[in-house]
C-alpha cells in the first residue's frame, strides 16, 4: 500500500498501556495513552526524562525487550492492529513502512561497513532491487540530505564523518524505503545548535517531499514548535494535554504545561525582575505514583479529596474538539491570570576586575600520523589570542559550538593545561603558566569548576557528605572533622538539599540533585571564580530553572564571578551580563548581553541566534541556515576562521576574508567584533528575533 492510497490515520494509538516486569513487581511505564497521526502530519511528544515518551515509540516499533509488555489498548498502523501481527509481517513493515531515528547516530551505523553498502542494503533486502538501482537511490538520498560530495560519502566509513553528517546518513537510511511513518527520538540532542537547525530544516523539507508522517519525541518545546503540527504533553506515563501547537502553547489547559513554560527562559525573562519559576518537588517514581492526578503533589491548583480521589481521564476542552486535557479543574482555573512574580532580587553591584586574560594562546602539537608517530607535526590552534576581563559579581557567558576552544580555555584557567603564550592574571598575578599541582591552595580554591555531566564528577562509592568534606580538607578549611561536618551541612543548605542527603550515595540522587552536590563542592572553599561548563544541558527543563536560579542566588550572596560556558543562547540571554562568542579558537564578538543580542552582529552570532528554537508562537525569527560543518582546528581555513560558512562574505571585496584574519573592531563602548564588513554593511543588519507587538 503506497503513501497515497491510504487516507485514514497512519498511526492510531488508543488507550495504550505498557508495563515492565521485574521479579518483584509490575512497573507501569505508560498508562492510557492515545494519539493519532494523519498522513503528512507531524506529532510532537514532549515531556521530561522518565515520562514514558520513548517507551511509546518502542511500543509502536513492538521492540520492548524481554521485560516490556503491552498490557492494554491498541496500536493500529494504517488501520491494521500491530499488537497481533505475525513476526514476519512486523519485520516487513518495520523496515519499509515505519523507520526510526535514534538520539545517538553511531548506534545505528555499522562501524566496519562503508556508508554506501549500509544504505543499499535497505532496498536490496526489502524490495529485492538490483545493486545498480540501490546505488542510484542511495546517491539520490545522500544528495537529498544535503551532504557534500555524495559519491565520496558513499565510499566513507562512519568514523570519517562528523556527528552532524552521521545523523544525516541515519536520516538518509530511514528514508531509503520512503516510509509512511518516521519516528524521531530526540534526534538532535547530541548536535550543535547550527547543525541542529540544519537537520531540523532538512527533516521538515523531506517530510513534505516524501509525504511522510512523523512522530517527533523531544524535551525541547521550541524544537517541537518549529517541526510539528500537533503536540502531546506527557507527565509520569500519561498524556496530560493534546492539541494543535497553537492550542497548547497559547491556550494551555493543564497545570503541568503551564509550569513547564514558566521554567523556560523565553525572550523577555529577566533574572532579577522576573526570575524563572522552577516546579516544586520531584518527579514520582513509577511504582510510587500518587492517587488520582500524578501531577497533584506538585500542582498549584491541587484540591485534596478531589484531585486525589479517583483516576482522571482525558476530557475535551470546551469549544475545541481537538484539544484535550487530563485536569479536573481546567475550566475553573483562570489561565490568563498574570504570573505571580517571584520575589525580585537586587543584583550585587559589579566590582573590580578579578580575572584578566591577555592575548592567551593555547596550541597543541599532534603527530601527523597519530598511529605510528613520525611524519610532520601538526599544530592544533585551540585558542588564538584571547583577551577579556571578568569582574566581581559578573556573569560572563562563553558561547560557541563544539570545537571552538571554550573547554580548552577553561582547562588553562583551571591549571589543567598551561598557556602557550599570553597571560592569565588573577588579582594581578599571572597564573597562566602555573600547572594545577604547582598552584597554592588558595588559588585552587579560588577557581573552581562545575561540569556538564554531574554523573562523572562524583565518586560512586563515597557518601555525598564525605565528598564535600574531602574538598574542605583539600582547601585546608576547618581544623577537625566536626568543624568540617558543620561547614558541609551549611553547604547543603546553600544548595537547597535536605541535610540528611549527607549520608546518601550518589546513585540515590537524581541528575539535578547530583549537580547541586557538584555546586556545593565548587563553593566549598568560597570560590571567587566558578567556571560552569554547560552545567544544565544534561538536566530536564524544570530542573534547569532551579539550578540556574541557585547559581544566581549564590552569586548574589558571595559576589562570585561566574564564567558560564554554554551553547544554549536562551539561557545565556537570561543569565549573563556579558557574552563572548567563540569560533575555532577566536573570539569573534564580545560585549554586554544587550549589545550581542541586538544588531549589528558578527555574522556567526547572527546565525547562532537564528538557530536557537524558541517556544513562543508570538516570535518571528529570521531563518539563517549555515552550509557545511565546522572546520577542524587541525587545518583551519585561511583568513577569517568563519569565511567558509559565512553568508555575508560576498559583501567584502578583494577576497579579503580568505586572505586576512579580521581585526577586532570596537563598535560601541566595550562591544567588539572581529569582522571585515564595513560600517555600512553593519548598519543594514536587522534583528534576528522579533517579539510581536504587544
Amino acid at each position: 500500500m503506497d503513501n497515497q492510497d491510504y487516507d485514514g490515520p497512519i498511526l492510531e494509538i488508543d488507550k495504550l498501556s505498557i508495563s515492565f516486569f521485574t521479579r518483584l513487581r509490575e512497573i507501569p511505564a505508560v498508562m492510557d495513552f492515545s494519539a493519532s497521526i494523519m498522513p503528512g502530519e507531524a506529532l510532537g511528544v514532549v515531556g521530561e526524562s522518565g515520562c514514558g515518551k520513548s517507551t511509546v515509540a518502542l511500543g509502536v516499533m513492538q521492540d520492548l525487550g524481554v521485560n516490556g509488555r503491552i498490557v492494554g489498548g491498541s496500536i493500529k498502523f494504517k488501520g491494521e492492529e500491530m499488537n497481533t501481527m505475525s513476526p514476519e509481517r512486523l519485520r516487513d513493515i518495520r523496515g519499509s513502512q515505519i523507520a526510526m531515528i535514534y538520539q545517538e547516530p553511531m548506534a545505528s551505523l555499522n562501524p566496519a561497513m562503508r556508508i554506501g553498502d549500509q544504505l543499499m542494503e535497505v532496498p536490496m533486502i526489502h524490495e529485492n532491487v538490483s545493486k545498480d538501482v540501490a546505488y542510484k537511490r542511495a546517491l539520490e538520498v545522500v544528495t537529498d540530505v544535503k551532504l557534500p560530495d555524495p559519491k565520496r560519502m558513499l565510499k566513507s566509513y562512519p568514523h570519517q564523518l562528523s556527528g552532524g553528517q552521521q545523523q544525516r546518513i541515519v536520516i538518509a537510511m530511514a528514508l531509503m524505503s520512503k516510509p509512511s511513518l518516521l519516528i524521531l527520538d530526540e534526534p538532535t540532542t547530541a548536535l550543535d545548535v547550527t547543525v541542529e537547525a540544519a537537520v531540523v530544516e532538512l527533516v521538515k523539507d523531506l517530510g513534505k517531499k516524501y509525504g511522510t508522517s512523523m512522530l517527533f519525541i523531544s524535551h525541547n518545546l521550541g524544537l517541537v514548535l518549529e517541526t510539528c503540527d500537533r503536540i502531546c504533553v506527557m507527565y509520569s506515563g500519561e498524556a496530560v494535554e493534546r492539541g494543535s501547537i497553537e492550542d497548547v502553547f497559547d491556550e494551555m489547559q493543564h497545570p503541568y504545561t503551564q509550569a513547564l513554560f514558566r521554567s523556560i527562559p523565553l525572550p523577555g525573562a529577566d533574572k532579577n525582575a522576573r526570575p524563572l519559576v522552577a516546579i516544586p518537588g520531584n518527579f514520582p517514581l513509577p511504582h510510587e505514583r500518587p492517587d488520582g492526578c500524578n501531577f497533584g503533589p506538585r500542582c498549584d491548583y491541587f484540591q485534596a479529596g478531589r484531585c486525589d480521589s479517583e483516576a482522571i481521564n482525558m476530557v475535551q476542552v470546551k469549544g475545541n474538539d481537538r484539544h484535550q486535557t487530563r485536569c479536573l479543574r481546567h475550566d475553573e482555573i483562570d489561565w490568563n491570570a498574570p504570573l505571580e512574580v517571584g520575589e525580585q532580587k537586587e543584583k550585587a553591584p559589579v566590582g573590580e576586575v578579578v580575572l584578566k586574560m591577555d592575548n592567551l594562546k593555547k596550541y597543541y602539537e599532534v603527530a601527523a600520523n597519530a598511529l605510528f608517530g613520525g611524519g610532520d607535526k601538526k599544530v592544533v590552534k585551540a585558542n588564538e589570542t584571547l583577551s577579556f576581563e571578568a569582574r566581581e559579581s559578573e556573569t560572563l557567558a562563553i558561547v560557541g559550538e563544539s570545537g571552538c576552544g571554550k573547554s580548552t580555555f577553561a582547562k588553562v584557567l583551571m591549571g589543567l593545561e598551561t598557556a602557550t603564550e599570553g597571560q592569565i592574571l588573577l588579582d594581578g598575578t599571572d597564573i597562566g603558566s602555573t600547572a594545577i599541582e604547582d598552584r597554592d591552595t588558595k588559588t585552587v580554591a579560588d577557581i573552581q569548576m562545575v561540569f556538564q555531566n554531574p554523573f562523572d564528577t562524583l565518586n560512586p562509592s563515597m557518601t555525598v557528605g564525605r565528598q564535600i568534606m574531602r574538598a574542605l580538607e583539600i582547601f585546608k578549611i576547618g581544623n577537625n572533622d566536626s568543624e568540617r561536618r558543620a561547614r558541609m551541612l551549611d553547604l547543603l543548605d546553600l544548595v537547597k538539599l535536605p541535610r540528611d542527603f549527607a549520608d546518601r550515595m550518589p546513585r540515590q540522587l537524581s541528575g539535578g540533585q547530583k549537580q547541586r552536590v557538584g555546586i556545593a563542592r565548587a563553593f566549598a572553599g568560597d570560590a571567587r571564580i566558578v567556571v560552569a561548563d554547560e552545567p544544565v544541558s544534561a538536566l530536564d527543563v524544570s530542573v534547569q530553572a532551579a539550578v540556574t536560579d541557585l547559581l544566581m542566588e549564590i552569586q548574589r550572596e558571595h559576589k562570585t564571578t561566574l564564567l558560564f560556558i554554554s551553547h544554549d543562547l536562551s539561557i545565556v540571554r537570561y543569565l549573563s551580563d556579558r557574552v563572548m562568542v567563540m569560533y575555532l579558537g577566536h573570539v569573534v564578538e564580545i560585549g554586554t548581553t544587550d549589545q550581542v543580542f541586538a544588531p549589528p552582529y558578527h555574522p556567526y552570532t547572527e546565525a547562532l541566534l537564528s538557530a536557537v528554537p524558541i517556544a513562543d508562537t508570538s516570535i518571528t525569527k529570521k531563518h539563517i541556515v549555515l552550509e557545511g560543518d565546522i572546520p577542524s582546528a587541525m587545518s583551519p581555513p585561511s583568513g577569517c576562521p568563519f569565511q567558509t560558512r559565512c553568508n555575508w562574505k560576498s559583501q567584502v571585496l578583494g577576497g579579503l576574508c580568505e586572505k586576512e584574519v579580521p581585526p577586532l573592531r570596537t563598535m560601541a563602548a566595550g562591544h567588539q567584533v572581529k569582522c571585515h564588513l564595513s560600517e555600512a554593511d553593519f548598519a543594514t543588519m536587522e534583528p534576528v528575533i522579533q517579539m510581536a507587538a504587544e
Side-chain angles (χ1 to χ4, degrees):
M1 186 164 11
D2 201 34
N3 293 0
Q4 281 71 35
D5 305 344
Y6 186 78
D7 57 359
I10 294 287
L11 183 70
E12 213 173 349
I13 304 176
D14 191 37
K15 297 195 167 44
L16 175 70
S17 295
I18 297 174
S19 291
F20 290 90
F21 292 86
T22 64
R23 281 190 311 235
L24 301 173
R25 58 167 82 91
E26 172 187 346
I27 298 175
V30 174
M31 293 91 67
D32 183 33
F33 180 87
S34 304
S36 68
I37 304 179
M38 299 304 285
E41 188 175 59
L43 170 71
V45 178
V46 175
E48 300 177 280
S49 48
C51 73
K53 53 189 190 301
S54 296
T55 309
V56 169
L58 293 171
V60 174
M61 294 297 276
Q62 301 281 324
D63 179 17
L64 291 165
V66 188
N67 300 334
R69 272 214 297 283
I70 292 177
V71 290
S74 78
I75 304 176
K76 289 186 177 143
F77 176 69
K78 293 188 178 176
E80 195 179 343
E81 176 59 64
M82 292 186 73
N83 295 349
T84 51
M85 276 182 192
S86 68
E88 295 75 35
R89 176 81 183 117
L90 264 178
R91 203 165 41 233
D92 188 39
I93 284 186
R94 241 185 295 191
S96 59
Q97 297 198 42
I98 303 182
M100 184 152 171
I101 296 170
Y102 296 90
Q103 189 168 345
E104 192 37 72
M106 267 317 267
S108 321
L109 295 172
N110 179 341
M113 228 173 135
R114 291 181 197 275
I115 299 284
D117 296 335
Q118 300 193 47
L119 288 170
M120 286 157 60
E121 259 189 354
V122 182
M124 283 163 71
I125 291 172
H126 283 286
E127 300 167 41
N128 287 333
V129 301
S130 68
K131 210 167 174 175
D132 291 351
V133 174
Y135 179 78
K136 278 202 188 87
R137 195 179 305 171
L139 202 58
E140 178 196 345
V141 176
V142 171
T143 315
D144 267 352
V145 294
K146 298 197 169 63
L147 279 166
D149 197 349
K151 287 190 168 142
R152 195 192 84 231
M153 282 289 160
L154 293 180
K155 291 197 186 99
S156 309
Y157 286 97
H159 69 265
Q160 294 167 310
L161 311 186
S162 71
Q165 289 173 336
Q166 288 172 1
Q167 193 58 289
R168 284 165 195 236
I169 290 293
V170 172
I171 292 172
M173 199 184 283
L175 291 169
M176 277 301 280
S177 56
K178 305 203 163 84
S180 316
L181 176 66
L182 193 53
I183 301 177
L184 302 106
D185 190 358
E186 303 261 12
T188 58
T189 15
L191 306 177
D192 274 317
V193 238
T194 54
V195 181
E196 171 179 87
V199 168
V200 165
E201 186 79 1
L202 175 79
V203 168
K204 273 171 31 189
D205 290 350
L206 294 170
K208 287 194 191 84
K209 176 175 175 181
Y210 290 106
T212 314
S213 307
M214 285 189 264
L215 178 61
F216 196 98
I217 293 172
S218 176
H219 64 266
N220 184 333
L221 286 159
L223 212 53
V224 169
L225 167 74
E226 293 190 358
T227 42
C228 299
D229 309 301
R230 293 180 58 245
I231 180 175
C232 171
V233 181
M234 282 186 82
Y235 179 79
S236 187
E238 295 177 324
V240 292
E241 184 164 11
R242 266 202 307 269
S244 70
I245 295 282
E246 287 74 19
D247 289 343
V248 175
F249 278 48
D250 301 339
E251 295 177 20
M252 56 191 73
Q253 296 284 320
H254 195 281
Y256 174 62
T257 315
Q258 185 184 48
L260 265 186
F261 274 96
R262 285 181 182 173
S263 60
I264 325 176
L266 294 172
D270 173 334
K271 62 182 174 190
N272 295 315
R274 288 198 49 185
L276 300 181
V277 184
I279 305 178
N282 282 314
F283 205 78
L285 291 169
H287 53 280
E288 295 170 359
R289 291 193 177 107
D291 291 333
C293 174
N294 283 343
F295 187 59
R298 306 174 71 187
C299 178
D300 294 344
Y301 308 106
F302 178 75
Q303 278 186 350
R306 191 173 159 202
C307 297
D308 51 5
S309 60
E310 57 188 346
I312 296 171
N313 295 318
M314 283 293 253
V315 289
Q316 279 190 1
V317 174
K318 285 192 184 99
N320 187 342
D321 57 349
R322 292 195 74 185
H323 188 179
Q324 288 121 357
T325 175
R326 193 183 292 269
C327 175
L328 284 178
R329 304 196 54 203
H330 73 95
D331 50 3
E332 303 164 21
I333 296 171
D334 177 4
W335 296 102
N336 297 322
L339 255 178
E340 282 181 32
V341 175
E343 53 176 308
Q344 300 195 350
K345 307 283 178 24
E346 274 303 306
K347 182 170 169 35
V350 170
E352 294 299 306
V353 172
V354 181
L355 181 73
K356 185 173 162 53
M357 280 210 179
D358 203 20
N359 289 335
L360 175 85
K361 291 186 178 182
K362 176 63 186 169
Y363 291 176
Y364 293 101
E365 279 201 343
V366 188
N369 185 339
L371 202 54
F372 304 108
D376 306 331
K377 285 208 181 298
K378 278 196 166 179
V379 175
V380 177
K381 300 181 175 181
N383 288 154
E384 274 289 1
T385 55
L386 288 187
S387 298
F388 71 86
E389 297 174 340
R391 296 172 180 78
E392 182 180 87
S393 289
E394 179 177 60
T395 305
L396 171 70
I398 297 154
V399 179
E401 299 173 285
S402 47
C404 74
K406 51 188 194 292
S407 297
T408 300
F409 140 78
K411 284 179 188 157
V412 177
L413 180 59
M414 297 290 298
L416 300 170
E417 300 274 0
T418 49
T420 310
E421 221 177 276
Q423 293 181 309
I424 301 180
L425 302 171
L426 176 65
D427 297 325
T429 316
D430 184 10
I431 55 168
S433 45
T434 318
I436 194 158
E437 51 270 25
D438 304 325
R439 291 187 177 182
D440 58 51
T441 308
K442 183 168 175 350
T443 307
V444 174
D446 273 348
I447 305 183
Q448 281 294 304
M449 192 153 176
V450 178
F451 294 90
Q452 178 169 4
N453 197 340
F455 308 95
D456 299 342
T457 52
L458 296 180
N459 179 339
S461 53
M462 222 190 229
T463 64
V464 165
R466 185 44 58 214
Q467 307 208 29
I468 297 174
M469 285 164 71
R470 180 90 186 85
L472 291 168
E473 245 170 80
I474 292 170
F475 301 147
K476 303 191 168 66
I477 291 171
N479 297 320
N480 51 36
D481 249 17
S482 64
E483 281 184 20
R484 281 192 279 267
R485 187 163 177 89
R487 168 86 178 125
M488 178 266 297
L489 292 171
D490 289 345
L491 283 162
L492 286 179
D493 296 344
L494 179 72
V495 295
K496 299 195 168 46
L497 282 176
R499 288 188 158 198
D500 58 358
F501 271 43
D503 304 318
R504 290 200 185 181
M505 300 304 266
R507 64 164 195 278
Q508 296 168 294
L509 273 55
S510 71
Q513 291 165 340
K514 285 183 188 160
Q515 195 56 295
R516 284 165 188 245
V517 175
I519 293 172
R521 208 171 45 177
F523 281 96
D526 280 326
R528 302 183 50 209
I529 298 171
V530 170
V531 183
D533 189 358
E534 304 259 11
V536 293
S537 60
L539 307 175
D540 272 321
V541 198
S542 60
V543 185
Q544 274 185 6
V547 172
T548 43
D549 211 43
L550 174 71
L551 278 171
M552 295 290 88
E553 203 165 305
I554 296 176
Q555 179 183 42
R556 276 190 287 271
E557 214 170 292
H558 291 258
K559 303 198 162 138
T560 322
T561 305
L562 201 59
L563 298 181
F564 191 84
I565 298 178
S566 179
H567 66 264
D568 180 348
L569 285 171
S570 40
I571 284 195
V572 164
R573 180 177 202 158
Y574 170 71
L575 278 184
S576 50
D577 305 309
R578 285 168 59 237
V579 180
M580 173 164 114
V581 182
M582 288 185 73
Y583 186 83
L584 263 194
H586 291 259
V587 175
V588 293
E589 179 164 7
I590 184 166
T592 64
T593 309
D594 292 340
Q595 287 168 339
V596 173
F597 277 79
Y601 312 104
H602 186 281
Y604 176 58
T605 312
E606 182 186 43
L608 270 184
L609 286 173
S610 100
V612 177
I614 298 174
D616 189 338
T617 51
S618 66
I619 273 182
T620 45
K621 244 180 20 171
K622 259 169 84 172
H623 233 61
I624 303 164
V625 172
L626 295 180
E627 295 298 319
D629 283 358
I630 304 171
S632 147
M634 293 253 287
S635 48
S638 60
C640 169
F642 186 58
Q643 54 101 347
T644 52
R645 303 167 76 199
C646 181
N647 296 327
W648 284 83
K649 193 164 73 166
S650 55
Q651 305 287 332
V652 179
L653 303 174
L656 200 59
C657 298
E658 281 113 357
K659 290 182 198 143
E660 286 176 34
V661 174
L664 200 57
R665 298 172 26 193
T666 302
M667 314 289 289
H671 183 205
Q672 296 181 307
V673 177
K674 203 180 232 185
C675 185
H676 285 304
L677 285 173
S678 67
E679 297 292 328
D681 287 325
F682 278 128
T684 62
M685 286 194 171
E686 296 166 353
V688 173
I689 298 168
Q690 288 195 317
M691 316 271 289
E694 284 297 311

